[in-house]
Amino acid sequence: MGGAGHQQLSFSPPEAQHGVLPGQVRVLTLNVQHASPSRSRRQADWLAGQDADVVVLTEVTPGGHSIAQELSERGFSVHLADGGSDYLTVVASRIGKQEPVPEVRPGHLPHRCAAVRIHLDDGLTVGVVGLYVPSRGPRERRNVDKRAFQNAVVELLPDMAGELAVTGPVVIAGDLNVVERGHRPHHTVFGTWEYEFYAAFAAAGYGDAFRHCHPDGLDHSWYGRRSGEGYRFDHIFSSPVAAVVDCRYVHEPRTTGLSDHAAMTATLAVPASTL
């Protein structure tokens, strides 16, 4: 499904060295908080220093050229869609060959979704989809874009794996601006329709990587500026979820001022013989 009028952009990296772990793919997602060019440079330095093979970045400034160029110079292949004056989602990888999959595109705010098929050695492919759900929005458009984007993503989910057509796991990652039912602490602002959006991933076969690894774990990726209360806004889902061998939040970007969000990482097992 899809909206028209947006351009797919790709940036190819120079040759660079990155240590691949046999039998694993490591994914990291981070909301970059509409970073300026100078902060994008620092974010790219930090990302290059992590062990992630694939990164999903959300709340990227319109155009996205600063972070895309910085990542490309550090050995990442970068994919994003031009969204005019709105925020973007970026998927960047430094393993295999990254192939954009434009068929995975919601009908509302399509540039907030970026989907790629990554071709690893010996024929294995994995799918990575980045999502950035709008916030609740200004008073005059409260929840309009958020609800429309969520509905468009829910329509995509049942056919997403077929469109990606990969032989390995499919990962969906990003800032979803929703929390799970039973979130601690409880936030009364969230409605049933938002909890239903979170539940739609499981209904389509995508398990919550954090909950898979930490059934009763408590952690947050963003904290209210006034209340100081935590929210688990950033998520990684996987199909199959059994492929996830580790998942956690990394608070360094938040505590050092690179972003107002923590990063999130997940390690997935893939057949070792194909890497």
Side-chain angles (χ1 to χ4, degrees):
M1 297 182 60
H6 77 291
Q7 179 185 7
Q8 302 284 327
L9 304 175
S10 296
F11 293 75
S12 298
E15 292 296 322
Q17 296 296 318
H18 169 64
V20 177
L21 290 182
Q24 294 185 348
V25 172
R26 299 160 295 186
V27 179
L28 180 151
T29 185
L30 174 67
N31 177 313
V32 297
Q33 194 193 4
H34 52 270
S36 65
S38 61
R39 188 152 55 92
S40 291
R41 187 175 306 112
R42 291 188 286 119
Q43 288 172 342
D45 284 339
W46 184 82
L47 290 165
Q50 305 305 300
D51 62 8
D53 305 307
V54 184
V55 299
V56 173
L57 306 180
T58 58
E59 203 175 306
V60 175
T61 54
H65 297 118
S66 293
I67 191 66
Q69 188 62 45
E70 295 291 348
L71 288 173
S72 179
E73 290 174 359
R74 290 160 179 77
F76 288 85
S77 294
V78 184
H79 171 64
L80 68 157
D82 187 0
S85 60
D86 193 26
Y87 293 125
L88 308 176
T89 297
V90 166
V91 177
S93 61
R94 51 182 172 178
I95 56 170
K97 179 181 179 182
Q98 181 169 279
E99 175 191 0
V101 183
E103 293 82 5
V104 178
R105 186 173 63 185
H108 186 70
L109 303 178
H111 47 274
R112 285 175 174 254
C113 172
V116 303
R117 181 184 301 115
I118 300 176
H119 298 262
L120 302 177
D121 295 342
D122 297 329
L124 182 72
T125 52
V126 297
V128 179
V129 179
L131 294 175
Y132 180 39
V133 174
S135 61
R136 304 181 75 81
R139 185 180 302 274
E140 63 274 12
R141 288 185 58 81
R142 184 72 72 198
N143 287 328
V144 173
D145 285 324
K146 182 174 187 178
R147 195 161 194 168
F149 184 79
Q150 288 182 349
N151 289 342
V153 170
V154 170
E155 289 183 11
L156 281 177
L157 286 173
D159 299 322
M160 188 175 287
E163 296 288 359
L164 288 165
V166 295
T167 57
V170 173
V171 178
I172 305 173
D175 178 1
L176 302 188
N177 267 312
V178 295
V179 298
E180 63 196 316
R181 194 179 294 276
H183 184 278
R184 294 173 288 164
H186 175 67
H187 297 292
T188 58
V189 69
F190 294 103
T192 299
W193 58 278
E194 290 167 295
Y195 293 125
E196 289 175 346
F197 174 68
Y198 170 87
F201 291 88
Y206 297 89
D208 183 326
F210 183 79
R211 281 285 159 250
H212 175 70
C213 295
H214 311 281
D216 300 310
L218 180 63
D219 207 348
H220 305 110
S221 60
W222 186 84
Y223 290 80
R225 294 175 179 85
R226 294 183 179 179
S227 69
E229 292 185 330
Y231 297 74
R232 198 165 77 85
F233 276 156
D234 298 82
H235 300 274
I236 295 176
F237 293 92
S238 174
S239 179
V241 73
V244 179
V245 297
D246 184 63
C247 183
R248 64 192 64 204
Y249 291 94
V250 180
H251 291 277
E252 184 180 359
R254 183 179 62 82
T255 59
T256 60
L258 283 178
S259 173
D260 59 349
H261 282 245
M264 186 180 193
T265 66
T267 301
L268 288 85
V270 295
S273 62
T274 63
L275 281 173

